[in-house]
Amino acid sequence: MKLRLVALPILAALAGPSPLVGQEPAQTPAPPADGTVLDYGEDRHERMTVPVSIGGRGPYAFIVDTGAERTAIAEELARDLRLGLGRRARLHSMTEVSHIQTVVIPTLEVGGRKLLGINAPAFERRNIGAEGILGVDSLQTQRVSFDFSRRQMTVTNSRKREETWPEDTIVVTAKNRLGHLVLVDAAVDGQKVWVILDTGAQTTVANSVLRRKLERRGRLSQTWPIELQSVTGGRMAAEQTMVKRIRLGGVDINNMPVAFADVHPFRQLGLTKRPAVLLGMDALRLFERVSVDFPNRRVRLLAPATSERTGTLLARSERAGRGG
């Protein structure tokens, strides 16, 4: 079976450096009351990118990554902008734990919102796949909505009342785990799992705990080898299979490819002893709209009438409730 490379340029978790002496910690002024709407692009791995300005220069394409704890930048761009060095930091990427040099981004602007004094890890542009990564450190007080049909991302203060969604919207309550939203009302082929939404991942990845449970139940289909690549350039062998059903609240994703590998985010989030899944862009873009409300720990999912991917379908579960 041919080995396939699946790029996963994700910053899973960063034990962030202490602020530099005399430097204030990063601050995030509140966005406009009515929210900020951004047209997004895509990188070569079909992940969302938005225009970002640094120190009044740009715009530069940054990947929107709900699986990244920190905003990061390409080494080449940091050199071009002559950004000063921060402290080295311990980094948990998809494939390894390493020590990474950070740089200080004095001001970063996205959609009219400014982030001040960011200590950002720097990676090679070829491993990121873009000029940088916009992590959850810039989104933790916000509600972020992705409209895949209109190719737009909206960032709104979570205290603002959310617009009315269609009645068939699925609303899922999540838990907060180290700044990440984890969906616990979820299952893979009947096995209960914890799910982390990861817009920075090209593919969906599950841990070996889930694999063993599916094997014991006779629900693991044939697998084939692939290779995962992290934002640091590290690579890891994985086994991919086709699962019949992923249930998220009241919606099902049928016939979905999932890779099995004990990547470092599972360890960092304390998910090595329970079945867990990092749900990547290959699954999320099947929906028409997805909303992630970080402070209120709520996720909304709106399925289109039909899925664009041949063989992979979204279906409303019989146990689904009504959204709004």
Side-chain angles (χ1 to χ4, degrees):
M1 189 71 68
K2 183 179 180 181
L3 187 70
R4 185 162 66 92
L5 178 66
V6 180
L8 290 169
I10 305 173
L11 176 60
L14 174 68
S18 303
L20 300 181
V21 176
Q23 178 185 343
E24 294 296 323
Q27 301 177 23
T28 309
D34 56 352
T36 300
V37 179
L38 294 169
D39 294 325
Y40 69 78
E42 292 179 350
D43 74 344
R44 66 180 185 274
H45 301 300
E46 296 186 330
R47 296 164 304 165
M48 293 174 293
T49 63
V50 293
V52 167
S53 297
I54 296 177
R57 298 176 63 180
Y60 308 104
F62 273 47
I63 295 166
V64 181
D65 191 348
T66 57
E69 290 189 6
R70 294 288 187 276
T71 293
I73 190 171
E75 291 178 350
E76 296 86 345
L77 178 58
R79 285 198 297 267
D80 291 344
L81 298 176
R82 297 184 179 180
L83 300 181
L85 296 180
R87 297 181 180 177
R88 294 183 65 81
R90 190 182 184 199
L91 173 77
H92 295 258
S93 70
M94 264 288 175
T95 60
E96 61 196 289
V97 178
S98 55
H99 287 81
I100 298 294
Q101 180 65 56
T102 67
V103 298
V104 180
I105 301 177
T107 61
L108 182 149
E109 185 172 354
V110 54
R113 301 174 60 247
K114 284 187 177 181
L115 303 173
L116 309 177
I118 301 173
N119 280 271
F123 307 101
E124 293 183 39
R125 183 184 286 122
R126 64 178 181 176
N127 293 330
I128 295 179
E131 297 294 345
I133 295 173
L134 198 64
V136 296
D137 56 344
S138 61
L139 303 173
Q140 287 178 351
T141 63
Q142 312 303 321
R143 180 191 306 120
V144 185
S145 298
F146 306 101
D147 189 323
F148 296 109
S149 61
R150 296 181 180 179
R151 299 176 62 84
Q152 291 180 334
M153 181 181 83
T154 303
V155 181
T156 310
N157 193 306
S158 63
R159 290 174 294 183
K160 175 177 167 46
R161 181 180 178 85
E162 189 165 17
E163 74 277 12
T164 301
W165 283 44
E167 290 188 353
D168 57 348
T169 298
I170 302 298
V171 181
V172 185
T173 301
K175 290 186 176 182
N176 188 310
R177 201 170 184 88
L178 299 180
H180 297 269
L181 292 190
V182 180
L183 309 185
V184 296
D185 185 9
V188 173
D189 285 343
Q191 172 62 53
K192 186 175 181 180
V193 298
W194 281 21
V195 173
I196 302 96
L197 302 186
D198 197 338
T199 60
Q202 177 194 0
T203 195
T204 294
V205 181
N207 62 8
S208 60
V209 179
L210 175 59
R211 176 172 184 161
R212 290 193 296 270
K213 288 184 176 293
L214 293 178
E215 284 179 327
R216 284 199 291 266
R217 294 184 176 193
R219 296 180 181 177
L220 183 66
S221 301
Q222 179 183 3
T223 63
W224 57 91
I226 64 171
E227 190 173 59
L228 307 180
Q229 179 179 331
S230 76
V231 71
T232 61
R235 297 187 178 188
M236 174 182 288
E239 295 284 330
Q240 194 167 51
T241 189
M242 190 73 71
V243 301
K244 294 181 179 179
R245 178 189 179 209
I246 299 177
R247 177 180 59 78
L248 301 173
V251 66
D252 296 338
I253 305 175
N254 299 315
N255 303 321
M256 185 72 207
V258 174
F260 290 105
D262 285 325
V263 293
H264 278 275
F266 293 130
R267 186 175 298 109
Q268 180 69 11
L269 295 174
L271 297 176
T272 58
K273 296 183 179 180
R274 67 177 73 221
V277 174
L278 294 170
L279 199 70
M281 283 299 297
D282 54 348
L284 294 175
R285 65 173 48 260
L286 293 172
F287 293 90
E288 181 176 324
R289 294 169 66 189
V290 175
S291 172
V292 182
D293 190 330
F294 287 93
N296 295 314
R297 303 191 303 277
R298 185 167 60 181
V299 174
R300 295 190 182 214
L301 305 164
L302 177 63
T306 59
S307 170
E308 294 182 359
R309 181 188 287 121
T310 302
T312 303
L313 300 173
L314 292 173
R316 191 174 179 83
S317 173
E318 293 181 0
R319 60 183 288 279
R322 294 174 63 181

